Amino acid sequence: MKRNRGYGLRGAWRALLLASCLVAAHGRAATQLTYPLTSDGIDSRYDYDWAVLRAALEKTTPRYGVFEQHQSTVAMSPPRVVQEMSSPSGRINIFVRATTPELEHQFLPVRLPVDRGLLGYRLLLIRGADQQRFAGIKTAADLRRLRAGLGQGWADIAVFEKAGVPVVEGSSYEGLFAMLEAERFDFYSRSADEAMREFQERHDAHPQMAVEQTLLLHYPLPRYFFVRRDAEGRLLAKRIETGMEMMIKDGSLNTLFLRYKGDLIKNTAMHKRRVINLANPKLTPQTPLARAELWFNPLTGK
């Protein structure tokens, strides 16, 4: 009995020593990620993105160790996000955004589209009284008779300017809905899930607003996670990339995608809409367009 108790005690010490070694191997300290709070009001646009980030970090915990993921307590505009990320002592160390060459140069991108490219399939928020007007839009040339509303510095401004569509920029995300009602522009280009969710969340406050019923704009617009170009950022980028590649391979990214986006995709019936394709002149050569498994196609449902 004494020998058995001694063996059990030695076994317990070995397990404790092994656990200590594993902690030491991972540097003991938890990986810290702080992402921005983007609005003081209603803003559920990024819930899915941070769920993907958490899942990618969980996938890589055995290799990289434990992590802590937090949201900033300070609301930040897009320019403020860039400002905070540009400083080594900034309040955040990761953000997610539609990519541009400028962002990819300034920060380190994880070049895997977080939302499987869904951001590039666009519905239009319009004034309900204009439904018939939009039913007559058939081509990119027809769009030039209308004014697009977009936020300052948004990546798709270049898309509409390239297509010859006039762009009106708004200084705040929330203010764009009021600008649409005030006829400052004719349509607000939104991703499929954004348009439906924003209509549901804001219809009471903006009763003139409606989702246009016939069109689907498409332009490649990948959303990436971005981190700083320093030693910590390179480690974070490698960890996130590793975790996302694991999710792509085992199907868990698609499962999470459908959990958050599936009902909205179904409700928009995108495959029944008239598609207008627009070029994105600001994609970098490193954009992984050739990897079909990274991109969702709502016209086929795959």
Side-chain angles (χ1 to χ4, degrees):
M1 293 295 292
K2 289 181 180 179
R3 185 169 61 234
N4 288 344
R5 282 198 299 271
Y7 178 80
L9 185 60
R10 287 196 299 273
W13 277 108
R14 287 194 190 101
L16 181 59
L17 180 61
L18 178 60
S20 299
C21 290
L22 287 173
V23 170
H26 292 309
R28 283 190 286 271
T31 300
Q32 300 286 336
L33 292 105
T34 304
Y35 57 90
L37 170 65
T38 56
S39 173
D40 284 322
I42 299 171
D43 192 355
S44 58
R45 290 175 293 168
Y46 299 91
D47 291 354
Y48 164 76
D49 303 320
W50 307 131
V52 170
L53 178 63
R54 178 170 294 280
L57 296 172
E58 288 173 347
K59 287 281 186 184
T60 54
T61 295
R63 178 174 175 181
Y64 289 90
V66 296
F67 67 93
E68 295 179 5
Q69 180 176 323
H70 308 284
Q71 187 174 56
S72 166
T73 57
V74 178
M76 300 179 187
S77 65
R80 176 69 182 276
V81 168
V82 171
Q83 180 183 352
E84 293 283 346
M85 283 289 294
S86 298
S87 170
S89 60
R91 303 185 193 197
I92 58 173
N93 62 352
I94 189 168
F95 69 103
V96 63
R97 190 171 296 179
T99 191
T100 66
E102 295 78 15
L103 284 175
E104 292 187 31
H105 176 76
Q106 186 172 4
F107 304 108
L108 186 61
V110 178
R111 288 192 180 92
L112 297 170
V114 178
D115 68 347
R116 303 194 61 215
L118 184 63
L119 187 69
Y121 288 91
R122 315 294 287 188
L123 301 184
L124 308 181
L125 292 177
I126 65 171
R127 294 176 292 278
D130 288 343
Q131 288 285 6
Q132 192 57 41
R133 180 185 184 192
F134 278 85
I137 302 299
K138 309 292 184 183
T139 66
D142 294 335
L143 283 174
R144 296 171 191 155
R145 304 197 300 262
L146 305 169
R147 297 163 298 166
L150 297 168
Q152 287 181 352
W154 286 8
D156 43 356
I157 290 173
V159 172
F160 287 100
E161 289 180 340
K162 172 73 173 178
V165 179
V167 173
V168 177
E169 296 184 42
S171 59
S172 75
Y173 164 66
E174 192 63 39
L176 284 159
F177 300 98
M179 290 174 67
L180 174 62
E181 276 197 322
E183 301 187 15
R184 295 279 301 280
F185 52 80
D186 301 305
F187 67 90
Y188 186 9
S189 174
R190 308 302 290 145
S191 73
D193 65 319
E194 288 172 335
M196 299 303 293
R197 184 162 20 86
E198 289 164 347
F199 172 74
Q200 292 165 1
E201 292 173 347
R202 291 172 171 80
H203 184 255
D204 289 344
H206 302 284
Q208 296 180 43
M209 186 172 68
V211 179
E212 198 279 330
Q213 297 174 353
T214 63
L215 295 175
L216 179 67
L217 307 187
H218 177 239
Y219 40 90
L221 194 64
R223 288 166 57 79
Y224 297 149
F225 290 119
F226 289 90
V227 295
R228 292 190 180 94
R229 286 190 174 276
D230 57 17
E232 178 194 62
R234 287 190 290 273
L235 184 61
L236 284 176
K238 183 60 178 175
R239 177 171 184 170
I240 295 166
E241 179 183 16
T242 299
M244 289 186 66
E245 290 283 13
M246 293 170 69
M247 295 173 70
I248 292 163
K249 185 175 181 179
D250 67 17
S252 57
L253 180 62
N254 189 53
T255 299
L256 194 61
F257 174 79
L258 292 176
R259 184 188 309 164
Y260 275 81
K261 313 289 189 180
D263 287 344
L264 287 165
I265 291 169
K266 181 179 178 180
N267 292 339
T268 59
M270 285 186 278
H271 63 287
K272 297 181 179 180
R273 289 174 171 265
R274 185 166 59 257
V275 180
I276 297 178
N277 290 298
L278 302 175
N280 185 346
K282 291 203 131 187
L283 290 181
T284 64
Q286 296 87 353
T287 306
L289 296 174
R291 291 186 60 184
E293 76 275 17
L294 302 182
W295 308 91
F296 176 71
N297 184 347
L299 303 182
T300 63
K302 298 179 181 179

